[in-house]
Amino acid sequence: MNVRMCLMVALVPMLLAGSTVCAQEAGPPAPPASTQAPPAPTQAAVPMKAKAKEKKGEYTGPNTVVELAPAPMLDEEGRQRLDPDGKPMFNPPVRQQRDKKGHPVFDENGKPVMQTAKELGYDEHGKKIHEEKEKKVKATPVSISRGVMTVDGMAGKAALNYDIADLKYIYFYAPGIGITVVSNAPFPGAKEQPGAFSDTTLTVTADGHTLQLASDKRLLGKKPESAFVLVDRDFRLPSKFPVMGYGPIRKPPYAWPGAKENAKVAGLVEPPPLPPSLVPVQLAKPCPAGQMRPAAKPALPGDTAAVQPCVPIAKATPVVAAPVKPSAETAKN
């Protein structure tokens, strides 16, 4: 027993020493979470003076850009311009200018500085805005000299003289057929008729009827060209005779030359007044009983004869015939 006790007493210090070594290798225990130091910041702190400078130069004005309502687009006569479908056309909206930093620009009085044709300012990213150059579309001029419009071979309109700066649409109206819209370029709803434009004539077919325009001058090119035709049977004009016109619209009311927004019929032109010599003169009222109008001097050609007033008719004095004395021969008999 004494030997065993001695051995156990000898082993106890060794075991205690081993546990001490393990504890040293494992390291000291972690402190509580409440005592851990905060993580180091990823970015360096900005000095207070630098922040103050940034806030001092920061833009604090309005960021909303003023925009005016689109203005109507007017033609040369001051009327509302319409697109080919008959819808009103408007100019692009005018906006307030921006500076190089993209901020709205104001004048000395605090009013917005609007864009102009030559000065558009900058966009929201500070890039200079340049005016876009519009591509010029090649015009198609057409000259109609002493033109004659025929319907199925019968002349319906003569002495047509038009100088069309840019051909868009030609209109042929005939009672019972409606209006026929003709163009040298395709458009919605139109059907192609090859060879319709041929030298000095334009010949198209509308619902089985032949419409032709003949001119003293060549209409388009030397070679025959196709025409694109649309027939509108629902369109009516208060006219018993054919009518021709042209314009930039392919839908009613069809902008005829000289067309107005009032009740006047588009495409019809009032004839000039008759010369005075052909103006019918209304007969004067008859004079009352016992009166008459004396004869007036004949009027010169082109003048209007003056109306003579009524005057009383002079009473005729009765004439008593002298008795006829019988001759000597008559007395002998």
Side-chain angles (χ1 to χ4, degrees):
M1 293 294 294
N2 296 331
V3 175
R4 291 179 178 176
M5 291 295 294
C6 292
L7 291 172
M8 291 180 64
V9 171
L11 289 173
V12 169
M14 295 176 64
L15 291 173
L16 293 174
S19 61
T20 303
V21 172
C22 292
Q24 290 177 354
E25 291 180 358
S34 58
T35 60
Q36 290 183 359
T42 56
Q43 297 179 353
V46 180
M48 295 299 292
K49 292 184 179 180
K51 286 186 177 180
K53 290 183 179 180
E54 290 180 1
K55 289 184 178 180
K56 185 177 181 181
E58 187 178 357
Y59 177 77
T60 57
N63 291 317
T64 304
V65 176
V66 178
E67 181 176 329
L68 302 179
M73 188 179 296
L74 305 179
D75 58 9
E76 294 78 7
E77 299 180 1
R79 297 179 300 176
Q80 173 73 65
R81 190 183 295 275
L82 305 177
D83 63 4
D85 293 328
K87 298 179 180 179
M89 299 177 65
F90 295 89
N91 294 312
V94 180
R95 300 179 179 177
Q96 184 180 3
Q97 293 186 23
R98 293 178 181 268
D99 57 14
K100 294 182 179 180
K101 296 183 179 180
H103 303 146
V105 179
F106 296 88
D107 60 6
E108 299 176 354
N109 300 324
K111 295 183 179 181
V113 178
M114 309 306 293
Q115 294 177 342
T116 60
K118 297 182 179 180
E119 183 59 40
L120 299 175
Y122 300 82
D123 60 6
E124 60 273 12
H125 303 292
K127 294 183 178 180
K128 182 69 175 179
I129 302 177
H130 299 282
E131 182 182 2
E132 297 182 0
K133 295 183 179 179
E134 297 183 0
K135 296 182 180 179
K136 293 184 178 180
V137 181
K138 185 179 179 181
T140 306
V142 174
S143 179
I144 301 173
S145 176
R146 300 177 63 184
V148 178
M149 173 187 172
T150 59
V151 180
D152 295 332
M154 299 181 63
K157 201 76 175 177
L160 298 171
N161 297 279
Y162 296 117
D163 288 327
I164 306 174
D166 186 13
L167 175 63
K168 296 299 182 182
Y169 304 98
I170 295 177
Y171 312 128
F172 293 126
Y173 175 79
I177 300 177
I179 189 169
T180 304
V181 185
V182 184
S183 178
N184 64 327
F187 63 95
K191 295 183 179 180
E192 183 179 3
Q193 296 188 12
F197 288 95
S198 179
D199 198 15
T200 60
T201 60
L202 168 61
T203 307
V204 297
T205 303
D207 288 350
H209 299 275
T210 302
L211 307 176
Q212 187 180 76
L213 171 65
S215 173
D216 287 351
K217 296 182 179 180
R218 181 182 292 116
L219 297 178
L220 292 181
K222 296 181 180 180
K223 297 181 179 179
E225 299 184 21
S226 298
F228 299 86
V229 183
L230 172 66
V231 181
D232 185 358
R233 297 185 59 88
D234 298 330
F235 187 78
R236 296 288 185 272
L237 283 178
S239 174
K240 298 180 180 179
F241 305 98
V243 181
M244 178 196 163
Y246 68 94
I249 300 177
R250 56 174 173 254
K251 290 186 178 182
Y254 305 109
W256 303 76
K260 306 295 180 182
E261 296 182 358
N262 51 21
K264 288 186 178 181
V265 179
L268 298 181
V269 180
E270 295 182 359
L274 293 173
S277 59
L278 299 179
V279 175
V281 180
Q282 185 178 3
L283 295 176
K285 295 181 180 180
C287 294
Q291 295 184 5
M292 61 173 292
R293 297 182 188 275
K297 295 180 179 181
L300 297 175
D303 295 339
T304 304
V307 179
Q308 298 295 329
C310 295
V311 296
I313 299 175
K315 293 182 180 181
T317 304
V319 179
V320 178
V324 179
K325 294 181 180 181
S327 59
E329 294 179 358
T330 304
K332 291 180 180 180
N333 296 332

